[in-house]
Amino acid sequence: NLTLLVETCSAVKAAHPHARCIAVGAGSASEDLAKACPHLQLLGHLVGDELAEVYASADVFVFPSLEDMYGNVALEAAASGLAVVAFDRAAAGDYLTGVARLIAPSDAGTFIATTVELVGDGRARQCLGTSARTAMLPLTWAKTAQQFLNAITRAQQVPPRQPVPGVIPVTAQIFAPLPADQASEPLVTIRLLAMRGHHLQWHHDETKFQIRI
């Protein structure tokens, strides 16, 4: 959702000319993003102390993504004591209710307006940041691992489903091309359920594969 990021940064700069907009990360859209939003400072890919320093130096964390499967960065920002603006989904929706500004998915107007408001309201930022960090403190790796283990345990206790007519399990393995007298480990193994008579198609390292069930 980079378009919304550009629109949000532009609105912030228009309302608060002295504000600095910073983005961390790198990818195929970095060059286009720099052209579309010249006042957005792109720091590239950061890890460790460098990333922690950026979190510690910020005031508001803006996360406009609608496609991230989880969005751990929203929790990292909250743990760093930042006021978070994100959509009410994934990690933010699960853990930051009441301690962040959560916006209904796809409500771009409210997302932008909320960010502009927070940038200009130091007291609100401080209250949100303090509450967010307090909410994150119990979320330890040990607790997260235990929740994952509990989910696996519950899944093992669910009775197996009855087979669906026409649906069969498929296992496909891709091997690197080697001479016949040399064995190799599969590059990737894919396991899934498929309807009999259908085609399966996937890509691996820019190579397209297709099989018929």
Side-chain angles (χ1 to χ4, degrees):
N1 206 5
L2 296 180
T3 300
L4 180 56
L5 176 62
V6 171
E7 293 174 352
T8 302
C9 290
S10 298
V12 167
K13 289 295 289 184
H16 309 284
H18 298 295
R20 292 178 61 196
C21 298
I22 296 173
V24 176
S28 58
S30 295
E31 185 176 346
D32 292 338
L33 185 59
K35 293 178 181 178
C37 195
H39 46 261
L40 177 63
Q41 183 179 357
L42 302 178
L43 300 184
H45 180 66
L46 299 178
V47 296
D49 291 341
E50 289 183 321
L51 179 58
E53 184 177 348
V54 174
Y55 277 130
S57 302
D59 297 297
V60 178
F61 180 79
V62 177
F63 191 56
S65 175
L66 286 169
E67 297 180 355
D68 280 69
M69 295 181 64
Y70 188 65
N72 193 57
V73 291
L75 304 188
E76 292 176 353
S80 300
L82 299 185
V84 175
V85 181
F87 287 113
D88 191 2
R89 61 175 301 280
D94 287 342
Y95 292 100
L96 300 183
T97 299
V99 297
R101 296 292 173 84
L102 300 182
I103 313 301
S106 300
D107 188 352
T110 300
F111 190 97
I112 294 171
T114 299
T115 303
V116 172
E117 176 190 353
L118 266 183
V119 170
D121 191 339
R123 184 173 182 179
R125 293 198 309 268
Q126 184 177 9
C127 290
L128 280 175
T130 300
S131 299
R133 175 162 174 76
T134 300
M136 291 297 99
L137 290 178
L139 195 61
T140 63
W141 281 111
K143 182 178 180 179
T144 302
Q146 187 60 53
Q147 289 176 334
F148 180 65
L149 180 60
N150 292 342
I152 294 177
T153 301
R154 289 195 300 270
Q156 290 175 331
Q157 297 170 349
V158 175
R161 296 180 178 179
Q162 295 297 319
V164 178
V167 176
I168 59 174
V170 176
T171 299
Q173 292 183 319
I174 302 173
F175 294 84
L178 291 174
D181 59 344
Q182 295 185 25
S184 68
E185 294 294 324
L187 297 175
V188 63
T189 299
I190 302 172
R191 295 184 177 88
L192 69 163
L193 296 176
M195 292 294 293
R196 189 182 303 277
H198 284 210
H199 285 87
L200 297 180
Q201 181 174 296
W202 70 95
H203 292 76
H204 178 73
D205 290 343
E206 300 183 355
T207 302
K208 185 171 71 173
F209 300 87
Q210 181 172 291
I211 60 175
R212 181 175 176 82
I213 306 303

